[in-house]
Amino acid sequence: MAAIGGLLGPLAVGFVALAVVGGIGWYLIRRRRGTPDDPLAAALSWTDACCPACLALGTLAAGD
């Protein structure tokens, strides 16, 4: 049980680091493509692209 508690700190730091890298990548892609007219559409596109099922299907389709 103590080993699990010792891993929580590094896992939290890793999660935050991945979130920051993902946010920077999203910002750069958005900046390159320009801003959409509808911010709600942009938010929905972002959530669709990040759903676990979509990521899994994209990974499986990329192997074909």
mmCIF file of all heavy atoms in Angstrom:
data_model
loop_
_atom_site.group_PDB
_atom_site.id
_atom_site.type_symbol
_atom_site.label_atom_id
_atom_site.label_comp_id
_atom_site.label_asym_id
_atom_site.label_seq_id
_atom_site.Cartn_x
_atom_site.Cartn_y
_atom_site.Cartn_z
ATOM 1 N N MET A 1 0.821 -1.185 0.000
ATOM 2 C CA MET A 1 0.000 0.000 0.000
ATOM 3 C C MET A 1 0.873 1.260 0.000
ATOM 4 O O MET A 1 0.510 2.243 -0.623
ATOM 5 C CB MET A 1 -0.910 -0.044 1.226
ATOM 6 C CG MET A 1 -2.034 0.932 1.123
ATOM 7 S SD MET A 1 -3.096 0.560 -0.269
ATOM 8 C CE MET A 1 -4.649 0.634 0.479
ATOM 9 N N ALA A 2 2.008 1.220 0.649
ATOM 10 C CA ALA A 2 2.897 2.381 0.675
ATOM 11 C C ALA A 2 3.501 2.639 -0.705
ATOM 12 O O ALA A 2 3.769 3.784 -1.059
ATOM 13 C CB ALA A 2 4.006 2.175 1.699
ATOM 14 N N ALA A 3 3.685 1.571 -1.479
ATOM 15 C CA ALA A 3 4.240 1.741 -2.832
ATOM 16 C C ALA A 3 3.270 2.512 -3.721
ATOM 17 O O ALA A 3 3.685 3.317 -4.547
ATOM 18 C CB ALA A 3 4.548 0.381 -3.443
ATOM 19 N N ILE A 4 1.988 2.264 -3.546
ATOM 20 C CA ILE A 4 0.990 2.988 -4.336
ATOM 21 C C ILE A 4 1.008 4.463 -3.974
ATOM 22 O O ILE A 4 0.956 5.326 -4.842
ATOM 23 C CB ILE A 4 -0.408 2.379 -4.121
ATOM 24 C CG1 ILE A 4 -0.448 0.968 -4.693
ATOM 25 C CG2 ILE A 4 -1.478 3.241 -4.757
ATOM 26 C CD1 ILE A 4 -1.714 0.214 -4.380
ATOM 27 N N GLY A 5 1.093 4.764 -2.699
ATOM 28 C CA GLY A 5 1.158 6.156 -2.256
ATOM 29 C C GLY A 5 2.399 6.862 -2.767
ATOM 30 O O GLY A 5 2.367 8.051 -3.072
ATOM 31 N N GLY A 6 3.487 6.131 -2.896
ATOM 32 C CA GLY A 6 4.716 6.714 -3.408
ATOM 33 C C GLY A 6 4.667 6.998 -4.902
ATOM 34 O O GLY A 6 5.434 7.809 -5.404
ATOM 35 N N LEU A 7 3.766 6.350 -5.612
ATOM 36 C CA LEU A 7 3.648 6.558 -7.056
ATOM 37 C C LEU A 7 2.691 7.685 -7.419
ATOM 38 O O LEU A 7 2.698 8.151 -8.555
ATOM 39 C CB LEU A 7 3.167 5.273 -7.731
ATOM 40 C CG LEU A 7 4.163 4.124 -7.776
ATOM 41 C CD1 LEU A 7 3.511 2.887 -8.373
ATOM 42 C CD2 LEU A 7 5.391 4.500 -8.579
ATOM 43 N N LEU A 8 1.871 8.111 -6.479
ATOM 44 C CA LEU A 8 0.871 9.127 -6.802
ATOM 45 C C LEU A 8 1.497 10.462 -7.202
ATOM 46 O O LEU A 8 1.010 11.119 -8.111
ATOM 47 C CB LEU A 8 -0.085 9.325 -5.624
ATOM 48 C CG LEU A 8 -1.052 8.171 -5.368
ATOM 49 C CD1 LEU A 8 -1.935 8.479 -4.174
ATOM 50 C CD2 LEU A 8 -1.889 7.866 -6.583
ATOM 51 N N GLY A 9 2.564 10.855 -6.558
ATOM 52 C CA GLY A 9 3.231 12.115 -6.898
ATOM 53 C C GLY A 9 3.766 12.126 -8.323
ATOM 54 O O GLY A 9 3.425 13.014 -9.111
ATOM 55 N N PRO A 10 4.585 11.136 -8.693
ATOM 56 C CA PRO A 10 5.092 11.103 -10.071
ATOM 57 C C PRO A 10 3.985 10.946 -11.115
ATOM 58 O O PRO A 10 4.068 11.527 -12.199
ATOM 59 C CB PRO A 10 6.022 9.887 -10.084
ATOM 60 C CG PRO A 10 6.445 9.714 -8.673
ATOM 61 C CD PRO A 10 5.273 10.152 -7.848
ATOM 62 N N LEU A 11 2.933 10.199 -10.789
ATOM 63 C CA LEU A 11 1.822 10.060 -11.725
ATOM 64 C C LEU A 11 1.106 11.388 -11.930
ATOM 65 O O LEU A 11 0.740 11.738 -13.052
ATOM 66 C CB LEU A 11 0.833 9.009 -11.234
ATOM 67 C CG LEU A 11 1.255 7.561 -11.422
ATOM 68 C CD1 LEU A 11 0.256 6.618 -10.768
ATOM 69 C CD2 LEU A 11 1.421 7.227 -12.878
ATOM 70 N N ALA A 12 0.927 12.128 -10.852
ATOM 71 C CA ALA A 12 0.277 13.436 -10.960
ATOM 72 C C ALA A 12 1.132 14.392 -11.788
ATOM 73 O O ALA A 12 0.610 15.129 -12.633
ATOM 74 C CB ALA A 12 0.016 14.008 -9.568
ATOM 75 N N VAL A 13 2.430 14.384 -11.565
ATOM 76 C CA VAL A 13 3.328 15.246 -12.333
ATOM 77 C C VAL A 13 3.306 14.849 -13.802
ATOM 78 O O VAL A 13 3.260 15.713 -14.691
ATOM 79 C CB VAL A 13 4.770 15.175 -11.765
ATOM 80 C CG1 VAL A 13 5.766 15.863 -12.677
ATOM 81 C CG2 VAL A 13 4.806 15.797 -10.372
ATOM 82 N N GLY A 14 3.307 13.552 -14.090
ATOM 83 C CA GLY A 14 3.239 13.085 -15.470
ATOM 84 C C GLY A 14 1.941 13.484 -16.146
ATOM 85 O O GLY A 14 1.935 13.901 -17.310
ATOM 86 N N PHE A 15 0.831 13.385 -15.432
ATOM 87 C CA PHE A 15 -0.458 13.771 -15.977
ATOM 88 C C PHE A 15 -0.483 15.257 -16.301
ATOM 89 O O PHE A 15 -0.939 15.657 -17.379
ATOM 90 C CB PHE A 15 -1.576 13.423 -14.987
ATOM 91 C CG PHE A 15 -2.933 13.821 -15.475
ATOM 92 C CD1 PHE A 15 -3.569 13.073 -16.449
ATOM 93 C CD2 PHE A 15 -3.560 14.937 -14.968
ATOM 94 C CE1 PHE A 15 -4.819 13.438 -16.908
ATOM 95 C CE2 PHE A 15 -4.808 15.314 -15.418
ATOM 96 C CZ PHE A 15 -5.445 14.563 -16.389
ATOM 97 N N VAL A 16 0.019 16.073 -15.402
ATOM 98 C CA VAL A 16 0.054 17.522 -15.641
ATOM 99 C C VAL A 16 0.969 17.842 -16.820
ATOM 100 O O VAL A 16 0.632 18.673 -17.667
ATOM 101 C CB VAL A 16 0.495 18.271 -14.365
ATOM 102 C CG1 VAL A 16 0.767 19.740 -14.644
ATOM 103 C CG2 VAL A 16 -0.572 18.133 -13.284
ATOM 104 N N ALA A 17 2.103 17.170 -16.910
ATOM 105 C CA ALA A 17 3.027 17.411 -18.020
ATOM 106 C C ALA A 17 2.376 17.038 -19.357
ATOM 107 O O ALA A 17 2.489 17.792 -20.334
ATOM 108 C CB ALA A 17 4.316 16.613 -17.823
ATOM 109 N N LEU A 18 1.682 15.910 -19.408
ATOM 110 C CA LEU A 18 0.995 15.519 -20.638
ATOM 111 C C LEU A 18 -0.118 16.505 -20.993
ATOM 112 O O LEU A 18 -0.325 16.817 -22.161
ATOM 113 C CB LEU A 18 0.413 14.113 -20.501
ATOM 114 C CG LEU A 18 1.416 12.978 -20.576
ATOM 115 C CD1 LEU A 18 0.738 11.644 -20.275
ATOM 116 C CD2 LEU A 18 2.075 12.930 -21.935
ATOM 117 N N ALA A 19 -0.818 16.994 -19.982
ATOM 118 C CA ALA A 19 -1.875 17.973 -20.230
ATOM 119 C C ALA A 19 -1.294 19.262 -20.802
ATOM 120 O O ALA A 19 -1.860 19.869 -21.709
ATOM 121 C CB ALA A 19 -2.651 18.252 -18.942
ATOM 122 N N VAL A 20 -0.159 19.697 -20.279
ATOM 123 C CA VAL A 20 0.480 20.919 -20.776
ATOM 124 C C VAL A 20 0.960 20.723 -22.216
ATOM 125 O O VAL A 20 0.731 21.580 -23.077
ATOM 126 C CB VAL A 20 1.649 21.344 -19.850
ATOM 127 C CG1 VAL A 20 2.495 22.425 -20.480
ATOM 128 C CG2 VAL A 20 1.109 21.798 -18.505
ATOM 129 N N VAL A 21 1.598 19.602 -22.495
ATOM 130 C CA VAL A 21 2.071 19.324 -23.857
ATOM 131 C C VAL A 21 0.882 19.248 -24.820
ATOM 132 O O VAL A 21 0.931 19.802 -25.932
ATOM 133 C CB VAL A 21 2.901 18.027 -23.894
ATOM 134 C CG1 VAL A 21 3.168 17.578 -25.315
ATOM 135 C CG2 VAL A 21 4.203 18.225 -23.137
ATOM 136 N N GLY A 22 -0.188 18.588 -24.409
ATOM 137 C CA GLY A 22 -1.379 18.508 -25.242
ATOM 138 C C GLY A 22 -2.003 19.866 -25.488
ATOM 139 O O GLY A 22 -2.444 20.180 -26.594
ATOM 140 N N GLY A 23 -2.043 20.703 -24.449
ATOM 141 C CA GLY A 23 -2.593 22.051 -24.598
ATOM 142 C C GLY A 23 -1.767 22.901 -25.550
ATOM 143 O O GLY A 23 -2.315 23.640 -26.376
ATOM 144 N N ILE A 24 -0.463 22.792 -25.459
ATOM 145 C CA ILE A 24 0.410 23.547 -26.364
ATOM 146 C C ILE A 24 0.223 23.062 -27.804
ATOM 147 O O ILE A 24 0.119 23.870 -28.732
ATOM 148 C CB ILE A 24 1.889 23.425 -25.921
ATOM 149 C CG1 ILE A 24 2.095 24.177 -24.610
ATOM 150 C CG2 ILE A 24 2.828 23.941 -27.001
ATOM 151 C CD1 ILE A 24 3.440 23.926 -23.962
ATOM 152 N N GLY A 25 0.154 21.745 -27.991
ATOM 153 C CA GLY A 25 -0.066 21.208 -29.328
ATOM 154 C C GLY A 25 -1.404 21.646 -29.902
ATOM 155 O O GLY A 25 -1.496 22.033 -31.070
ATOM 156 N N TRP A 26 -2.443 21.607 -29.080
ATOM 157 C CA TRP A 26 -3.770 22.047 -29.521
ATOM 158 C C TRP A 26 -3.748 23.525 -29.902
ATOM 159 O O TRP A 26 -4.303 23.917 -30.923
ATOM 160 C CB TRP A 26 -4.783 21.791 -28.407
ATOM 161 C CG TRP A 26 -6.164 22.242 -28.727
ATOM 162 C CD1 TRP A 26 -7.020 21.682 -29.619
ATOM 163 C CD2 TRP A 26 -6.833 23.362 -28.167
ATOM 164 N NE1 TRP A 26 -8.195 22.383 -29.625
ATOM 165 C CE2 TRP A 26 -8.116 23.419 -28.745
ATOM 166 C CE3 TRP A 26 -6.486 24.310 -27.210
ATOM 167 C CZ2 TRP A 26 -9.033 24.394 -28.410
ATOM 168 C CZ3 TRP A 26 -7.409 25.279 -26.878
ATOM 169 C CH2 TRP A 26 -8.654 25.310 -27.481
ATOM 170 N N TYR A 27 -3.059 24.333 -29.114
ATOM 171 C CA TYR A 27 -2.962 25.761 -29.399
ATOM 172 C C TYR A 27 -2.240 26.006 -30.729
ATOM 173 O O TYR A 27 -2.676 26.822 -31.548
ATOM 174 C CB TYR A 27 -2.236 26.477 -28.258
ATOM 175 C CG TYR A 27 -1.926 27.919 -28.558
ATOM 176 C CD1 TYR A 27 -2.926 28.879 -28.505
ATOM 177 C CD2 TYR A 27 -0.644 28.320 -28.915
ATOM 178 C CE1 TYR A 27 -2.667 30.202 -28.797
ATOM 179 C CE2 TYR A 27 -0.364 29.632 -29.205
ATOM 180 C CZ TYR A 27 -1.376 30.577 -29.140
ATOM 181 O OH TYR A 27 -1.098 31.883 -29.440
ATOM 182 N N LEU A 28 -1.142 25.297 -30.951
ATOM 183 C CA LEU A 28 -0.378 25.488 -32.187
ATOM 184 C C LEU A 28 -1.172 25.056 -33.416
ATOM 185 O O LEU A 28 -1.150 25.739 -34.443
ATOM 186 C CB LEU A 28 0.946 24.727 -32.108
ATOM 187 C CG LEU A 28 1.958 25.271 -31.109
ATOM 188 C CD1 LEU A 28 3.160 24.341 -31.020
ATOM 189 C CD2 LEU A 28 2.375 26.680 -31.456
ATOM 190 N N ILE A 29 -1.878 23.934 -33.306
ATOM 191 C CA ILE A 29 -2.699 23.486 -34.438
ATOM 192 C C ILE A 29 -3.825 24.468 -34.700
ATOM 193 O O ILE A 29 -4.110 24.811 -35.847
ATOM 194 C CB ILE A 29 -3.236 22.065 -34.174
ATOM 195 C CG1 ILE A 29 -2.099 21.059 -34.231
ATOM 196 C CG2 ILE A 29 -4.330 21.699 -35.181
ATOM 197 C CD1 ILE A 29 -2.475 19.684 -33.763
ATOM 198 N N ARG A 30 -4.455 24.932 -33.649
ATOM 199 C CA ARG A 30 -5.551 25.886 -33.806
ATOM 200 C C ARG A 30 -5.052 27.191 -34.422
ATOM 201 O O ARG A 30 -5.716 27.790 -35.273
ATOM 202 C CB ARG A 30 -6.199 26.149 -32.453
ATOM 203 C CG ARG A 30 -7.375 27.057 -32.548
ATOM 204 C CD ARG A 30 -8.046 27.189 -31.210
ATOM 205 N NE ARG A 30 -9.105 28.177 -31.315
ATOM 206 C CZ ARG A 30 -9.484 28.959 -30.358
ATOM 207 N NH1 ARG A 30 -8.920 28.859 -29.180
ATOM 208 N NH2 ARG A 30 -10.440 29.829 -30.530
ATOM 209 N N ARG A 31 -3.893 27.621 -34.002
ATOM 210 C CA ARG A 31 -3.334 28.866 -34.523
ATOM 211 C C ARG A 31 -2.999 28.735 -36.006
ATOM 212 O O ARG A 31 -3.198 29.657 -36.788
ATOM 213 C CB ARG A 31 -2.083 29.232 -33.731
ATOM 214 C CG ARG A 31 -1.632 30.643 -33.961
ATOM 215 C CD ARG A 31 -0.527 30.991 -33.034
ATOM 216 N NE ARG A 31 0.652 31.212 -33.863
ATOM 217 C CZ ARG A 31 1.878 31.171 -33.451
ATOM 218 N NH1 ARG A 31 2.142 30.887 -32.199
ATOM 219 N NH2 ARG A 31 2.872 31.401 -34.262
ATOM 220 N N ARG A 32 -2.499 27.571 -36.402
ATOM 221 C CA ARG A 32 -2.137 27.353 -37.799
ATOM 222 C C ARG A 32 -3.378 27.326 -38.691
ATOM 223 O O ARG A 32 -3.368 27.842 -39.794
ATOM 224 C CB ARG A 32 -1.389 26.033 -37.949
ATOM 225 C CG ARG A 32 -0.958 25.795 -39.391
ATOM 226 C CD ARG A 32 -0.334 24.454 -39.617
ATOM 227 N NE ARG A 32 0.831 24.255 -38.790
ATOM 228 C CZ ARG A 32 1.400 23.081 -38.605
ATOM 229 N NH1 ARG A 32 0.896 22.012 -39.170
ATOM 230 N NH2 ARG A 32 2.459 22.959 -37.852
ATOM 231 N N ARG A 33 -4.447 26.725 -38.206
ATOM 232 C CA ARG A 33 -5.668 26.609 -39.000
ATOM 233 C C ARG A 33 -6.525 27.868 -38.941
ATOM 234 O O ARG A 33 -7.440 28.014 -39.733
ATOM 235 C CB ARG A 33 -6.505 25.440 -38.500
ATOM 236 C CG ARG A 33 -5.869 24.120 -38.794
ATOM 237 C CD ARG A 33 -6.776 23.009 -38.390
ATOM 238 N NE ARG A 33 -6.146 21.724 -38.636
ATOM 239 C CZ ARG A 33 -6.620 20.589 -38.218
ATOM 240 N NH1 ARG A 33 -7.732 20.558 -37.531
ATOM 241 N NH2 ARG A 33 -5.991 19.474 -38.483
ATOM 242 N N GLY A 34 -6.269 28.736 -38.022
ATOM 243 C CA GLY A 34 -7.109 29.922 -37.864
ATOM 244 C C GLY A 34 -8.234 29.633 -36.884
ATOM 245 O O GLY A 34 -8.534 28.493 -36.564
ATOM 246 N N THR A 35 -8.855 30.657 -36.403
ATOM 247 C CA THR A 35 -9.928 30.477 -35.432
ATOM 248 C C THR A 35 -11.256 30.266 -36.151
ATOM 249 O O THR A 35 -11.568 30.963 -37.111
ATOM 250 C CB THR A 35 -10.038 31.699 -34.498
ATOM 251 O OG1 THR A 35 -10.250 32.856 -35.307
ATOM 252 C CG2 THR A 35 -8.796 31.877 -33.671
ATOM 253 N N PRO A 36 -12.052 29.318 -35.693
ATOM 254 C CA PRO A 36 -13.352 29.097 -36.315
ATOM 255 C C PRO A 36 -14.327 30.211 -35.929
ATOM 256 O O PRO A 36 -14.150 30.908 -34.941
ATOM 257 C CB PRO A 36 -13.795 27.754 -35.737
ATOM 258 C CG PRO A 36 -13.081 27.642 -34.444
ATOM 259 C CD PRO A 36 -11.767 28.376 -34.635
ATOM 260 N N ASP A 37 -15.359 30.346 -36.738
ATOM 261 C CA ASP A 37 -16.363 31.357 -36.454
ATOM 262 C C ASP A 37 -17.191 31.011 -35.226
ATOM 263 O O ASP A 37 -17.656 31.885 -34.517
ATOM 264 C CB ASP A 37 -17.293 31.533 -37.665
ATOM 265 C CG ASP A 37 -16.548 32.088 -38.867
ATOM 266 O OD1 ASP A 37 -15.535 32.773 -38.661
ATOM 267 O OD2 ASP A 37 -16.997 31.836 -40.000
ATOM 268 N N ASP A 38 -17.395 29.734 -34.984
ATOM 269 C CA ASP A 38 -18.243 29.284 -33.885
ATOM 270 C C ASP A 38 -17.380 28.612 -32.817
ATOM 271 O O ASP A 38 -16.891 27.502 -33.026
ATOM 272 C CB ASP A 38 -19.295 28.315 -34.427
ATOM 273 C CG ASP A 38 -20.284 27.882 -33.372
ATOM 274 O OD1 ASP A 38 -20.344 28.521 -32.307
ATOM 275 O OD2 ASP A 38 -21.013 26.907 -33.636
ATOM 276 N N PRO A 39 -17.191 29.241 -31.657
ATOM 277 C CA PRO A 39 -16.359 28.626 -30.618
ATOM 278 C C PRO A 39 -16.956 27.331 -30.072
ATOM 279 O O PRO A 39 -16.238 26.452 -29.635
ATOM 280 C CB PRO A 39 -16.250 29.686 -29.539
ATOM 281 C CG PRO A 39 -17.205 30.756 -29.883
ATOM 282 C CD PRO A 39 -17.629 30.568 -31.290
ATOM 283 N N LEU A 40 -18.286 27.196 -30.100
ATOM 284 C CA LEU A 40 -18.910 25.961 -29.629
ATOM 285 C C LEU A 40 -18.538 24.794 -30.539
ATOM 286 O O LEU A 40 -18.254 23.690 -30.075
ATOM 287 C CB LEU A 40 -20.428 26.121 -29.563
ATOM 288 C CG LEU A 40 -21.195 24.899 -29.078
ATOM 289 C CD1 LEU A 40 -20.761 24.522 -27.672
ATOM 290 C CD2 LEU A 40 -22.680 25.158 -29.130
ATOM 291 N N ALA A 41 -18.502 25.030 -31.836
ATOM 292 C CA ALA A 41 -18.107 23.984 -32.775
ATOM 293 C C ALA A 41 -16.663 23.558 -32.533
ATOM 294 O O ALA A 41 -16.335 22.370 -32.619
ATOM 295 C CB ALA A 41 -18.283 24.464 -34.207
ATOM 296 N N ALA A 42 -15.809 24.511 -32.218
ATOM 297 C CA ALA A 42 -14.408 24.182 -31.935
ATOM 298 C C ALA A 42 -14.304 23.329 -30.676
ATOM 299 O O ALA A 42 -13.538 22.366 -30.632
ATOM 300 C CB ALA A 42 -13.593 25.455 -31.780
ATOM 301 N N ALA A 43 -15.065 23.668 -29.651
ATOM 302 C CA ALA A 43 -15.036 22.897 -28.407
ATOM 303 C C ALA A 43 -15.558 21.483 -28.640
ATOM 304 O O ALA A 43 -15.002 20.515 -28.116
ATOM 305 C CB ALA A 43 -15.847 23.596 -27.335
ATOM 306 N N LEU A 44 -16.607 21.343 -29.422
ATOM 307 C CA LEU A 44 -17.147 20.016 -29.695
ATOM 308 C C LEU A 44 -16.181 19.184 -30.524
ATOM 309 O O LEU A 44 -16.053 17.978 -30.308
ATOM 310 C CB LEU A 44 -18.502 20.134 -30.390
ATOM 311 C CG LEU A 44 -19.628 20.689 -29.518
ATOM 312 C CD1 LEU A 44 -20.884 20.870 -30.347
ATOM 313 C CD2 LEU A 44 -19.889 19.799 -28.331
ATOM 314 N N SER A 45 -15.486 19.789 -31.470
ATOM 315 C CA SER A 45 -14.494 19.063 -32.257
ATOM 316 C C SER A 45 -13.366 18.563 -31.367
ATOM 317 O O SER A 45 -12.885 17.443 -31.520
ATOM 318 C CB SER A 45 -13.919 19.962 -33.344
ATOM 319 O OG SER A 45 -14.905 20.306 -34.259
ATOM 320 N N TRP A 46 -12.956 19.388 -30.423
ATOM 321 C CA TRP A 46 -11.880 19.011 -29.507
ATOM 322 C C TRP A 46 -12.305 17.831 -28.647
ATOM 323 O O TRP A 46 -11.548 16.892 -28.459
ATOM 324 C CB TRP A 46 -11.500 20.213 -28.646
ATOM 325 C CG TRP A 46 -10.347 19.952 -27.754
ATOM 326 C CD1 TRP A 46 -9.033 19.986 -28.097
ATOM 327 C CD2 TRP A 46 -10.383 19.617 -26.365
ATOM 328 N NE1 TRP A 46 -8.253 19.696 -27.008
ATOM 329 C CE2 TRP A 46 -9.068 19.468 -25.927
ATOM 330 C CE3 TRP A 46 -11.409 19.434 -25.455
ATOM 331 C CZ2 TRP A 46 -8.749 19.135 -24.634
ATOM 332 C CZ3 TRP A 46 -11.083 19.106 -24.153
ATOM 333 C CH2 TRP A 46 -9.772 18.965 -23.755
ATOM 334 N N THR A 47 -13.528 17.854 -28.129
ATOM 335 C CA THR A 47 -13.977 16.756 -27.281
ATOM 336 C C THR A 47 -14.167 15.481 -28.090
ATOM 337 O O THR A 47 -13.903 14.391 -27.591
ATOM 338 C CB THR A 47 -15.282 17.103 -26.545
ATOM 339 O OG1 THR A 47 -16.278 17.459 -27.495
ATOM 340 C CG2 THR A 47 -15.079 18.239 -25.570
ATOM 341 N N ASP A 48 -14.618 15.587 -29.333
ATOM 342 C CA ASP A 48 -14.758 14.399 -30.177
ATOM 343 C C ASP A 48 -13.403 13.773 -30.461
ATOM 344 O O ASP A 48 -13.269 12.551 -30.493
ATOM 345 C CB ASP A 48 -15.433 14.744 -31.503
ATOM 346 C CG ASP A 48 -16.922 14.977 -31.352
ATOM 347 O OD1 ASP A 48 -17.479 14.577 -30.313
ATOM 348 O OD2 ASP A 48 -17.522 15.562 -32.273
ATOM 349 N N ALA A 49 -12.410 14.592 -30.672
ATOM 350 C CA ALA A 49 -11.077 14.082 -31.000
ATOM 351 C C ALA A 49 -10.394 13.442 -29.801
ATOM 352 O O ALA A 49 -9.474 12.655 -29.973
ATOM 353 C CB ALA A 49 -10.205 15.211 -31.532
ATOM 354 N N CYS A 50 -10.828 13.748 -28.590
ATOM 355 C CA CYS A 50 -10.160 13.255 -27.390
ATOM 356 C C CYS A 50 -10.895 12.119 -26.693
ATOM 357 O O CYS A 50 -10.443 11.672 -25.656
ATOM 358 C CB CYS A 50 -9.953 14.394 -26.400
ATOM 359 S SG CYS A 50 -8.780 15.593 -27.013
ATOM 360 N N CYS A 51 -12.017 11.666 -27.236
ATOM 361 C CA CYS A 51 -12.728 10.586 -26.557
ATOM 362 C C CYS A 51 -11.919 9.302 -26.698
ATOM 363 O O CYS A 51 -11.311 9.050 -27.738
ATOM 364 C CB CYS A 51 -14.149 10.442 -27.079
ATOM 365 S SG CYS A 51 -14.314 9.569 -28.628
ATOM 366 N N PRO A 52 -11.866 8.497 -25.659
ATOM 367 C CA PRO A 52 -11.055 7.276 -25.704
ATOM 368 C C PRO A 52 -11.465 6.321 -26.825
ATOM 369 O O PRO A 52 -10.608 5.694 -27.444
ATOM 370 C CB PRO A 52 -11.290 6.637 -24.333
ATOM 371 C CG PRO A 52 -11.711 7.764 -23.461
ATOM 372 C CD PRO A 52 -12.441 8.733 -24.336
ATOM 373 N N ALA A 53 -12.748 6.214 -27.099
ATOM 374 C CA ALA A 53 -13.188 5.314 -28.161
ATOM 375 C C ALA A 53 -12.678 5.803 -29.517
ATOM 376 O O ALA A 53 -12.241 5.000 -30.355
ATOM 377 C CB ALA A 53 -14.712 5.212 -28.179
ATOM 378 N N CYS A 54 -12.723 7.113 -29.740
ATOM 379 C CA CYS A 54 -12.234 7.667 -31.009
ATOM 380 C C CYS A 54 -10.731 7.442 -31.158
ATOM 381 O O CYS A 54 -10.254 7.122 -32.245
ATOM 382 C CB CYS A 54 -12.553 9.159 -31.090
ATOM 383 S SG CYS A 54 -14.318 9.517 -31.066
ATOM 384 N N LEU A 55 -9.997 7.619 -30.083
ATOM 385 C CA LEU A 55 -8.553 7.393 -30.132
ATOM 386 C C LEU A 55 -8.233 5.926 -30.422
ATOM 387 O O LEU A 55 -7.332 5.619 -31.203
ATOM 388 C CB LEU A 55 -7.905 7.846 -28.827
ATOM 389 C CG LEU A 55 -7.939 9.340 -28.555
ATOM 390 C CD1 LEU A 55 -7.391 9.635 -27.166
ATOM 391 C CD2 LEU A 55 -7.170 10.105 -29.601
ATOM 392 N N ALA A 56 -8.986 5.012 -29.796
ATOM 393 C CA ALA A 56 -8.755 3.583 -30.019
ATOM 394 C C ALA A 56 -9.083 3.217 -31.460
ATOM 395 O O ALA A 56 -8.315 2.484 -32.102
ATOM 396 C CB ALA A 56 -9.594 2.765 -29.058
ATOM 397 N N LEU A 57 -10.198 3.705 -31.974
ATOM 398 C CA LEU A 57 -10.558 3.413 -33.373
ATOM 399 C C LEU A 57 -9.539 3.998 -34.339
ATOM 400 O O LEU A 57 -9.199 3.373 -35.345
ATOM 401 C CB LEU A 57 -11.954 3.927 -33.672
ATOM 402 C CG LEU A 57 -13.092 3.183 -32.999
ATOM 403 C CD1 LEU A 57 -14.417 3.892 -33.237
ATOM 404 C CD2 LEU A 57 -13.152 1.746 -33.493
ATOM 405 N N GLY A 58 -9.058 5.188 -34.053
ATOM 406 C CA GLY A 58 -8.049 5.799 -34.908
ATOM 407 C C GLY A 58 -6.758 5.021 -34.912
ATOM 408 O O GLY A 58 -6.098 4.873 -35.937
ATOM 409 N N THR A 59 -6.396 4.476 -33.753
ATOM 410 C CA THR A 59 -5.188 3.669 -33.660
ATOM 411 C C THR A 59 -5.342 2.377 -34.442
ATOM 412 O O THR A 59 -4.430 1.951 -35.150
ATOM 413 C CB THR A 59 -4.863 3.361 -32.193
ATOM 414 O OG1 THR A 59 -4.715 4.597 -31.490
ATOM 415 C CG2 THR A 59 -3.594 2.550 -32.053
ATOM 416 N N LEU A 60 -6.500 1.748 -34.314
ATOM 417 C CA LEU A 60 -6.744 0.498 -35.041
ATOM 418 C C LEU A 60 -6.801 0.741 -36.551
ATOM 419 O O LEU A 60 -6.294 -0.059 -37.327
ATOM 420 C CB LEU A 60 -8.036 -0.147 -34.567
ATOM 421 C CG LEU A 60 -8.015 -0.666 -33.132
ATOM 422 C CD1 LEU A 60 -9.400 -1.148 -32.724
ATOM 423 C CD2 LEU A 60 -6.995 -1.764 -32.959
ATOM 424 N N ALA A 61 -7.391 1.834 -36.960
ATOM 425 C CA ALA A 61 -7.507 2.135 -38.383
ATOM 426 C C ALA A 61 -6.156 2.492 -38.983
ATOM 427 O O ALA A 61 -5.909 2.227 -40.150
ATOM 428 C CB ALA A 61 -8.485 3.283 -38.599
ATOM 429 N N ALA A 62 -5.260 3.068 -38.185
ATOM 430 C CA ALA A 62 -3.952 3.460 -38.687
ATOM 431 C C ALA A 62 -3.093 2.231 -39.010
ATOM 432 O O ALA A 62 -2.184 2.319 -39.820
ATOM 433 C CB ALA A 62 -3.234 4.338 -37.663
ATOM 434 N N GLY A 63 -3.391 1.094 -38.388
ATOM 435 C CA GLY A 63 -2.619 -0.118 -38.629
ATOM 436 C C GLY A 63 -2.956 -0.815 -39.929
ATOM 437 O O GLY A 63 -2.268 -1.719 -40.342
ATOM 438 N N ASP A 64 -4.038 -0.404 -40.589
ATOM 439 C CA ASP A 64 -4.458 -1.065 -41.831
ATOM 440 C C ASP A 64 -3.573 -0.740 -42.985
ATOM 441 O O ASP A 64 -3.062 0.184 -43.292
ATOM 442 C CB ASP A 64 -5.902 -0.695 -42.189
ATOM 443 C CG ASP A 64 -6.894 -1.346 -41.215
ATOM 444 O OD1 ASP A 64 -6.491 -2.316 -40.551
ATOM 445 O OD2 ASP A 64 -8.022 -0.865 -41.162
#
